[in-house]
Every structure is written in structure tokens, then in C-alpha cells.
Amino acid sequence: MITIQEALSIVKDNSKPLLKETTKKVEKAGGYLLCQDVVSPIYMPPFRQSAMDGYALCVHDSVEYTLIGEVKAGDDIEPKLLPGQAVRIFTGAAVPDSAGVVIMQEKVTVKGEVILIEDTISDGKNIRPLGEQVQKGGLALKKGTKLTPAAIGYLISLGITEVLVYKKPSIAIVSTGNELVQAGQDLPKGKIYESNSKMLLSALYSLKFYDVEIHTIVDDYEQTKSKLSTIINSSDLVIVTGGVSVGDYDFVGKSLRELAVQELFYKVKQKPGKPLFYGKKGETHIFGLPGNPAAALSCFYLYVYMVLQKMMNRAVVELPRVKAKTTNAFIKRGDRPQFLKAIYKEGNITLLEGQSSAMLQTFALSNALVFVPLEVSNVNVNDELETILLPV
Ligand code: AMP
Ligand code: MG
């Protein structure tokens, strides 16, 4: 059985950027990284644009100007101003070529057709120059840029509708077990509602991984082997839950061995999540998470999260960790380091009752996992412990 640190290093060392490319509609490319430079097809702004509601002037040497017309946002007109003439203009409107400045309306007194300027005049004032943000043919965004909402807005403002980005992994979630029935159906004696797959799906969606399929397998060796074979061949990451322990009906481990999946580790000295499997076949990563839901989710945040971040070529591959002070005591039993479901608030942590790996109820209340090292058995009030902040 390996330590948590060893397991994390193995995961880190065996995962790398996916670097497959895919074309996405810009509005659906949030969170993706550009895999090539994006060149602007237009000047931005595409014309000399007024930055104010006010008056565009063809400058002369008096403060008095004669109004000769108006340009609104969206107008396609080009009034020809002579020195001493002005047009009313609005934010976002095209400034006539013959106008050199825009004066904001608050600094102008209007007397019929004549306006008086009460502002200093400097060439180009309140005018956004053509191509101020980016020139036509210029570099709009560099390869590797993460597409934030702002980046998406910017690309769309350039009229770009599709981008080439690094593909996100195709992910398969596989739940195993004869006892599982789908929520919404009757619950016969001996059965439980299957929760792991939807829980992990939700965790993946919240991390913006949407290419996810769910599969279910009953406790049957042949079915487990043949379904896993197909799934592994068509996915970048396979997350199996359950069936990976050593019970008579746990067929996942045996199937993965038969399918020549390279075992990178099986069993980690930790609580929860001891029976954790990680392996690879070709470039496909395979996790066998414990069936117990709370253990499965802990392992997801600790290990699967890291593979996902590495695949996405992100600089930070682990969830944020902070030191936080306990507000209550806890006695750790057994000989494994433990991750405790807890509530983190402003530097303090409350350790929750009900840490069993079968209990999602506690997990549902928590926003953090607190790490209790191997050598600590008694956690006291005000102890400082490392706390993993969950993306909830
Ligand atoms: P296993 O690892 O298959 O022995 O499962 C351990 C425990 O987790 C058992 O109590 C299972 O019923 C439960 N379990 C396994 N898979 C799921 C699942 N997909 N949803 C909810 N509970 C599960
Ligand atoms: Mg099972």
C-alpha cells in the first residue's frame, strides 16, 4: 500500500496535456485554451468611435461652433465639417473624418445652432482610434490563452464565431453493482439508488467538463470485461466506481488486468478511499474509485481532479490548500491519514459528525476536506490543519 504523496506523484508523473485539437463555437468555448494564435479579421474598433455623448468638432481658433447635424450610434453618414463646425454625436457613433475631437456634452453650452465649448481641446480627445484594441490582421489572442467570459466577448466583438482549442477529455463514468437502481424507480429490498454517477457527473460539469457519458454494469465478470474494453477504447478518462475491492463479486480489478491495463497503483494508505485503483491503457487514464459514495467523491477531488488539470495543461493541478484552525475536537482512529469533511469559514474549520465513507449527508454539508496526518490521533480545538477547499 502506497502513501498519499506517492499516489499523487504517480498521478502527476503519468498524466500530461491532452493536446488534441477541436473546433468550438466561440460561445461554447468557455474554459478552453486556444491552441493557435487568433488573428483579428477586422480593426477594433472598426471605425473612429466616439467615447462620449457630446459634440464632434472641426477645430478652429474660437470657442464658438456652428451645429450642422447629428450622428447617432449605428448611423452610416459622413457629414463634411469645415473649421468651426460641429455635429451632435453619441457614444459609439462613427466620428466624421473631418472632426478632430469630441467634447462631452456636460462641457458644452448650446444656444440654438451655436455651441460654446468650455473644455480644453486636444487632438483626438474622446475618440477611440480605428484599431485601438487590435489591428486588422493583428494578433487578437495568443495560443494558450484561456477563454474566460471576457475573452469570449472580445472574440465575438471581432466577429469571430469559431476557435480552435485544446480538446477537453472524453470521460466515461462507470457504476457497477447489482444493488443499484435508478432514482425515480421503485426501491426493492436490498437495492439502493445509484448516486455515484450523477454525483461525479455534477462534479465534472462544475469543473466545466461536459463530454461525459455514464455507463452501468452489473456484477458479472464477462459483462464487466467486455463493456470496460469498449469504454476504455473510446475515452480519454474512465472513472469506475465500485467493484474494485476484493469481494467475490468485485470484477473490476480482474477485468482491468485481463484487458492489459497497466496498474500504476492499487490501494492508498488513506481514509477514506483505501481501495483506489489508478492505471493506464495507452493514453487512457482509468480510475477505480471505491463504491462508497463519500470515498468516491474524496478520491475524485484528490486524484481525478489532478489528471483533469494536467490534461488541460493547467499550471495549478491541485485544489487550493490553506491552513485553518479547528473549532472542535476529533479523535482519529486507525492507522491511516484521514480526510475529514468539514465546513471552512474565514480561516476556521468545523469538523463534521459522520465521517463514514458511505455517508453523503455529511459531505453535502461540507465545503472542505481537512487533512489529519498519520501521526495525529487527537485533534484539539485551535489546532492548525491543512484544509483542501472544494470547488463547491
Ligand atoms: P463496492 O466497492 O462495489 O463493494 O461498493 C461499496 C459500497 O458502495 C456498497 O455499499 C455499494 O452498494 C455502494 N455503492 C457502489 N456503487 C455505488 C453507486 N454507484 N451509487 C451508490 N452507492 C454505491
Ligand atoms: Mg459492488
Side-chain angles (χ1 to χ4, degrees), residues 58-103:
C58 182
V59 177
H60 70 160
D61 57 5
S62 150
V63 296
E64 271 188 25
Y65 284 81
T66 310
L67 264 181
I68 63 155
E70 178 180 280
V71 190
K72 304 190 295 299
D75 282 354
D76 178 15
I77 52 174
E78 184 59 50
K80 301 271 181 289
L81 286 77
L82 298 171
Q85 292 185 328
V87 287
R88 180 82 170 110
I89 199 156
F90 298 93
T91 307
V95 176
D97 287 344
S98 47
V101 294
V102 168
I103 302 300

Side-chain angles (χ1 to χ4, degrees), residues 19-36:
L19 299 182
K20 293 184 190 170
E21 299 178 356
T22 184
T23 302
K24 300 286 295 180
K25 280 192 177 302
V26 170
E27 64 269 33
K28 297 209 165 156
Y32 285 82
L33 304 187
L34 288 174
C35 66
Q36 61 175 200

Side-chain angles (χ1 to χ4, degrees), residues 129-272:
L130 173 78
E132 183 184 29
Q133 287 188 58
V134 62
Q135 299 285 313
K136 182 172 176 174
L139 178 66
L141 287 177
K142 271 201 308 215
K143 173 178 173 170
T145 303
K146 182 175 175 183
L147 295 176
T148 60
I152 285 170
Y154 172 56
L155 292 177
I156 295 276
S157 79
L158 303 178
I160 295 170
T161 54
E162 288 188 333
V163 275
L164 202 59
V165 291
Y166 292 111
K167 185 180 167 292
K168 293 191 187 182
S170 311
I171 303 169
I173 299 173
V174 185
S175 68
T176 67
N178 286 347
E179 72 279 28
L180 306 174
V181 297
Q182 296 302 312
Q185 298 179 355
D186 287 343
L187 193 65
K189 172 113 190 265
K191 309 279 188 192
I192 57 165
Y193 287 124
E194 196 281 310
S195 55
N196 286 349
S197 65
K198 302 285 165 45
M199 172 180 74
L200 295 170
L201 182 74
S202 155
L204 288 164
Y205 281 178
S206 73
L207 298 171
K208 302 203 174 82
F209 293 97
Y210 300 113
D211 184 2
V212 188
E213 277 187 13
I214 292 180
H215 306 266
T216 50
I217 298 183
V218 295
D219 292 324
D220 172 87
Y221 172 60
E222 287 305 325
Q223 195 199 85
T224 306
K225 198 171 102 180
S226 81
K227 279 205 174 179
L228 281 179
S229 171
T230 315
I231 292 165
I232 289 169
N233 283 332
S234 59
S235 314
D236 299 309
L237 168 65
V238 179
I239 309 170
V240 186
T241 76
V244 77
S245 298
V246 289
D248 292 351
Y249 297 94
D250 291 328
F251 297 118
V252 172
K254 190 171 166 212
S255 301
L256 294 177
R257 274 191 298 281
E258 280 295 306
L259 295 170
V261 169
Q262 182 198 2
E263 178 181 312
L264 292 163
F265 61 74
Y266 174 51
K267 289 201 174 159
V268 180
K269 191 167 173 143
Q270 62 180 1
K271 192 178 172 183

